[in-house]
Amino acid sequence: SGPTVLGSTTMLTATANTTATNVTYTWDFGDGSPGVASGSGLSATLAYTYAAAGSYTATVTATNGVGQVAASTQVTVTHQPPVANAGADQAGLVSQPFTLEGRGSSDLDGHLPLTYRWIQRSGPTVSLSNAATATPGFLAPSSPAILEFTLTVADSFGGESSPDTVAITVTDVAISGLAVANN
């Protein structure tokens, strides 16, 4: 069958010919984990969960009073990295509060929850309210600037995304209500 997603169960099935008697199966999952699992009868199905992504050779040995025979199958366990989404670029005014938006980040394997890491890459340094959340906030500087932040997310199995960048353009408040008077 196809690959198994990390954290999901791989079903392994061994079948002997229909005339074999008193067959016992012993499994080696090929991942170096200690011990084996056994079964008996003309066929045996076993559920196993691999601890890490990779390609493994699972081997079953069928034994009865006449001898033993081994057969192997390749098992592929996949783990796709999550995808960071730092949201759309934003624009606003000096000294205004901003909220970064990382809730569009995802993990195709469903390995949730995600953990978030925001880092400011450029512009006058601002203080993020909580760089380890999807939506940290900050107060814009008092002078016009362009601030850049990167977001990296990790899934519950430690897979890490590529960084995604968002730009925040901070401008002065427009002049309005200008009046001039004389005597």
Side-chain angles (χ1 to χ4, degrees):
S1 66
T4 302
V5 173
L6 181 63
S8 297
T9 301
T10 300
M11 298 303 291
L12 298 166
T13 302
T15 307
N17 63 32
T18 56
T19 58
T21 56
N22 301 312
V23 178
T24 301
Y25 300 93
T26 304
W27 297 85
D28 178 346
F29 303 108
D31 61 355
S33 62
V36 293
S38 299
S40 62
L42 292 180
S43 68
T45 299
L46 185 66
Y48 185 72
T49 303
Y50 286 87
S55 183
Y56 303 96
T57 302
T59 303
V60 62
T61 302
T63 307
N64 69 5
V66 179
Q68 61 181 219
V69 177
S72 298
T73 186
Q74 281 300 119
V75 177
T76 301
V77 180
T78 61
H79 182 206
Q80 295 182 22
V83 176
N85 182 340
D89 290 347
Q90 299 181 44
L93 303 175
V94 295
S95 303
Q96 176 185 33
F98 281 87
T99 301
L100 299 175
E101 180 54 70
R103 290 180 289 192
S105 300
S106 61
D107 185 70
L108 297 174
D109 295 332
H111 296 151
L112 302 176
L114 296 176
T115 56
Y116 300 84
R117 186 177 76 235
W118 291 92
I119 298 173
Q120 184 176 356
R121 294 293 180 194
S122 67
T125 302
V126 296
S127 178
L128 291 176
S129 61
N130 189 347
T133 65
T135 56
F138 67 93
L139 192 59
S142 58
S143 298
I146 297 176
L147 310 172
E148 284 189 345
F149 299 88
T150 58
L151 171 63
T152 305
V153 295
D155 65 24
S156 62
F157 279 89
E160 190 168 281
S161 71
S162 295
D164 189 35
T165 301
V166 64
I168 310 296
T169 302
V170 179
T171 59
D172 276 326
V173 176
I175 299 170
S176 64
L178 178 64
V180 65
N182 67 28
N183 60 359

